[in-house]
Amino acid sequence: MTRLAYCQYLLVSQLNYTLTHFADHCDAFSHDAINRYLQGERITPRLIWDNVSGDLVPTAAGYLLFDDTVLDKHYSHRIELVRRQWSGNAQAVIKGIGVVTCVYVNPETDQFWLIDYRLYDPDGDGHSKLDHAREMLANVVHQKRLPFYAVLMDTWYATKDLMRYIESLQKVYYCPLKANRQVDDSGGDRPYQRVDSLAWNAVELAHGKTIKLKGFPKDHKVRLFRVEVSTHRTDWVVTNDPTQDSTEATQQACGFRWKIEQLHRESKQLTGLERCQCRKARIQRNHIGCALLVWVHLKHLAAQTGRTVYQLKHGLLDDYLVQQLKKPSLKMVLA
C-alpha cells in the first residue's frame, strides 16, 4: 500500500515532489513513515518489466534502444550516487545520477515501452554504462526472449566490444560514430582517416559505402552512411547489415532512436524523476523506480484513452480549475 500511495502521489503532484509535501497532503502517512518505507523497500528494475510486459506488442521488426540520461543534482552536496558526469542535455559536466535505459519499439504501431533500466554507480558495483547496456541486452535475448531486428545506440555505445557482442548474438546494430573515429574506405590502400574527412560521391551518398573501423579484425567490414540530420548536423551511421544499401532507410531506422529521448524528457517533466532531495542511495533508487513506474502507467493510460501523457497530467489541473470555478474555495469580492 505504501508503494502504491507514493506512486499515486508522483502521478498527481504537479510541482513539489518532496516527502514533506507528500506527508502534508496525505493523512495516512507521516514524513517519517514514508522515509522509513523508502529506506527499507527494494524497488528493482524487474518491477518495470512486470508492469509493462502485458501491454508490450512484440514484433520481429522491433528495435531495441539503449541510452542514458543524467538526473540533475547540481544543488547536491551529500546525496549518495551523485557524481560529476557529462550530460548531453546540459552539454556540460554536471553533478547528477546517471540512469541507463532500455526501450523496446514496435515500428509497425509506432509504440514504445521502457523494459529495463540501471543506475550508473561505478563506485558501488564497478559497472560502466557499457556494462549495463550489455547486461540488459543479454537479459532481453536470454530471459525476456523478445524478438527484435536491430539495436539502436548513441555514439557513446558504439564501441568495439559492444558492437562485436551484438554480432555474436546474430543481431543488427545501427549507431552513429564520433566525427574523429578512424576508418578506412580504400580497402587498405590508404591510411585510416577521420570519418568526417571521407570523400563521398553521389552514389555513396544515396547508398552508403563499405568501410573498416580501426581496431576491428582485418576482414571485418561495416556499411557507413552519411545522414543529414539537419542543416547544422551530420551523422555518420554504421550498421553490420551488409544488405542495407539505402541512406533513406538508414535514416528512417535511426529516427526511432529518439523514442528514448522522449522517455527521458517525459519522465523528468511529469513524474519528478530528478526531484528527490533525499541523501540515501536506497531512497534515491526507490524514488527513481517509482517515478519510472508512474511513467509506465501514464503511457498505458495514454494508449487506452488516445491522449498524450502531457494531456493526462495537465488535465488534473484543468479538472481542478473547472471545480474551483463552479464552487470556489476562495471567493472573489469586489467593492
Side-chain angles (χ1 to χ4, degrees):
M1 284 300 293
T2 309
R3 180 194 303 164
L4 179 61
Y6 187 66
C7 287
Q8 184 66 40
Y9 166 66
L10 297 181
L11 178 65
V12 301
S13 185
Q14 300 290 332
L15 297 173
N16 195 324
Y17 295 90
T18 64
L19 300 190
T20 302
H21 187 257
F22 174 43
D24 288 343
H25 294 80
C26 182
D27 295 334
F29 298 99
S30 66
H31 173 276
D32 290 342
I34 194 68
N35 188 281
R36 285 194 298 271
Y37 161 73
L38 289 175
Q39 286 194 68
E41 181 74 350
R42 292 186 66 86
I43 296 175
T44 67
R46 171 71 192 201
L47 286 172
I48 294 292
W49 176 245
D50 291 342
N51 281 270
V52 80
S53 57
D55 293 333
L56 189 145
V57 182
T59 172
Y63 292 101
L64 204 61
L65 280 54
F66 293 99
D67 204 355
D68 58 271
T69 187
V70 178
L71 309 186
D72 189 349
K73 304 288 185 181
H74 65 272
Y75 52 80
S76 167
H77 295 287
R78 297 184 180 178
I79 294 179
E80 297 174 0
L81 299 179
V82 170
R83 60 188 295 113
R84 296 187 65 83
Q85 53 196 297
W86 173 262
S87 167
N89 184 51
Q91 288 295 298
V93 175
I94 65 172
K95 290 195 298 183
I97 299 175
V99 183
V100 185
T101 50
C102 176
V103 165
Y104 186 86
V105 178
N106 184 326
E108 299 162 345
T109 63
D110 200 37
Q111 293 176 290
F112 67 101
W113 301 267
L114 171 67
I115 61 173
D116 208 347
Y117 73 93
R118 297 289 187 274
L119 298 194
Y120 177 51
D121 178 27
D123 294 334
D125 56 27
H127 288 180
S128 68
K129 293 177 181 179
L130 293 169
D131 293 330
H132 288 309
R134 177 169 176 155
E135 179 182 301
M136 289 189 286
L137 175 57
N139 183 269
V140 170
V141 173
H142 300 301
Q143 276 75 48
K144 294 183 174 67
R145 298 182 181 276
L146 285 175
F148 63 93
Y149 158 64
V151 177
L152 306 182
M153 309 175 290
D154 199 0
T155 54
W156 180 263
Y157 297 89
T159 65
K160 174 185 174 182
D161 289 344
L162 188 54
M163 293 162 77
R164 294 288 281 171
Y165 180 65
I166 295 171
E167 291 171 348
S168 74
L169 298 173
Q170 298 183 331
K171 295 295 183 180
V172 169
Y173 56 74
Y174 287 86
C175 51
L177 301 178
K178 292 182 179 180
N180 62 355
R181 191 72 174 262
Q182 297 290 301
V183 302
D184 172 33
D185 66 345
S186 68
D189 294 336
R190 294 190 300 270
Y192 287 99
Q193 59 184 311
R194 289 170 57 111
V195 68
D196 63 351
S197 67
L198 294 178
W200 296 77
N201 58 41
V203 174
E204 291 171 338
L205 287 173
H207 302 288
K209 63 169 71 180
T210 299
I211 65 162
K212 180 184 179 301
L213 294 165
K214 187 174 183 179
F216 280 70
K218 183 177 181 180
D219 59 347
H220 186 277
K221 302 295 177 63
V222 293
R223 296 289 293 170
L224 175 69
F225 298 86
R226 189 176 189 270
V227 177
E228 298 288 346
V229 179
S230 69
T231 55
H232 303 291
R233 176 180 165 186
T234 299
D235 279 352
W236 290 271
V237 178
V238 292
T239 177
N240 62 326
D241 183 356
T243 65
Q244 182 58 269
D245 66 349
S246 169
T247 299
E248 183 179 356
T250 298
Q251 185 172 15
Q252 183 178 6
C254 291
F256 287 106
R257 189 165 56 86
W258 299 108
K259 297 290 188 185
I260 203 166
E261 300 293 344
Q262 184 179 339
L263 155 68
H264 296 160
R265 182 181 68 252
E266 291 175 351
S267 58
K268 288 180 179 180
Q269 293 178 351
L270 300 177
T271 72
L273 179 65
E274 58 185 352
R275 302 286 290 278
C276 181
Q277 300 175 16
C278 296
R279 295 180 178 179
K280 294 296 183 181
R282 175 46 53 191
I283 296 181
Q284 287 289 341
R285 288 181 179 275
N286 287 335
H287 169 82
I288 292 167
C290 285
L292 292 175
L293 283 170
V294 168
W295 181 86
V296 165
H297 185 60
L298 279 171
K299 294 299 286 188
H300 172 77
L301 292 176
Q304 283 188 328
T305 61
R307 305 171 71 188
T308 69
V309 290
Y310 289 98
Q311 288 172 331
L312 289 172
K313 182 79 173 194
H314 299 324
L316 297 173
L317 289 177
D318 294 338
D319 294 340
Y320 171 76
L321 180 58
V322 170
Q323 175 189 341
Q324 287 298 309
L325 289 174
K326 288 181 178 179
K327 191 176 180 181
S329 301
L330 299 175
K331 293 186 178 182
M332 183 70 185
V333 179
L334 296 176

